Amino acid sequence: MTSSVAPNAPKRENYLARLRAGGQRPPWMERPSWFGQGAKALALALIVVMVTYPFLLALGTSLAGQKELEARGGYVLIPHHPTFQAYSVLLQGGVVTRATLVSIGITLIGTALSLLCTITLAYGLSRPGMLMGKPILLIVLGTFLFAPGIIPTYLVVQQLGLLDSYASLILPVLLNVFNVIVVRAFFQGIPTELYEAARLDGAGELAILRRIVLPLSKAVIAVAGLFYAVSYWNSFFNALLFMNDSGKYPLQVILRSYVVQGETINAHALGVNVLPPSISLQMAVLIIALVPILLVYPFLQKHFAKGVLTGAVKG
């Protein structure tokens, strides 16, 4: 149904453009007061401190030596004599290095497969007239409302022969229903004229998806990809449930062993006489587990608001 406000949209946009060009605000937007701006700046500063302080404290502690830790009560924000001994010992042992490579591989392969399945399923469900489209959509939504428990999931993985394999860390969580619904809503928001024009040119569904839909959906795909990547990277419970070989553990399981369970590193196995302080080793593992996500997130964060809002709300 065509809205009665639609014909006035170009006039409204031209009016707003003239106001912006002249440095003026629309009449319905109040000019911010000094108090309001100061309160926003103070709130933002407090949030930044609350977010960055724990990370900087963990980083400083991982770089501190034994004497400095004892002098400051166990945690150091800015070490005066930083040392990378904790990182050297962890990477020299091979356990953390192998676990990091496992996590990177699972995250890259799992994210690629999850995006492939999510995009194809969402595209099929977004097209009108799809065979069995509504029943399949109801099944997808049903899995969102009634999630399987631990025991049924374990039995299915066991029957498929996936125990103690990397596939058990990917296949049970291959699809996220929330991401499918968001991507589907985004695909539905693409003008139908583009689909019709492509079909008149002789393009099939696969060509339409590859040449038209995907280039227009970079924002929502980036959001879904980041959600999947963070989920795969932070996952540790499935590894504890399905993995029997500790040599196949991802990094988060090693992090849990060192930080939560307090396991110690064998100095003789590493060929070193004196180990760094245990708190430095724990914080070093924590930093190693955080850095990859911190490096990727800034490049995709700008797509969050655009991808989620555009995919969830249609005008």
Side-chain angles (χ1 to χ4, degrees), residues 180-202:
V180 173
I181 298 303
V182 170
V183 176
R184 171 181 176 269
F186 190 96
F187 290 167
Q188 288 179 325
I190 297 177
T192 56
E193 291 80 4
L194 296 178
Y195 294 101
E196 295 172 357
R199 290 191 179 92
L200 290 176
D201 291 338

Side-chain angles (χ1 to χ4, degrees), residues 168-219:
S168 64
L169 306 181
I170 298 176
L171 296 182
V173 292
L174 189 63
L175 275 177
N176 183 281
V177 179
F178 174 78
N179 292 335
V180 173
I181 298 303
V182 170
V183 176
R184 171 181 176 269
F186 190 96
F187 290 167
Q188 288 179 325
I190 297 177
T192 56
E193 291 80 4
L194 296 178
Y195 294 101
E196 295 172 357
R199 290 191 179 92
L200 290 176
D201 291 338
E205 295 294 341
L206 184 60
I208 294 174
L209 175 62
R210 183 168 56 89
R211 298 178 182 178
I212 296 177
V213 176
L214 292 183
L216 295 175
S217 308
K218 293 180 180 179

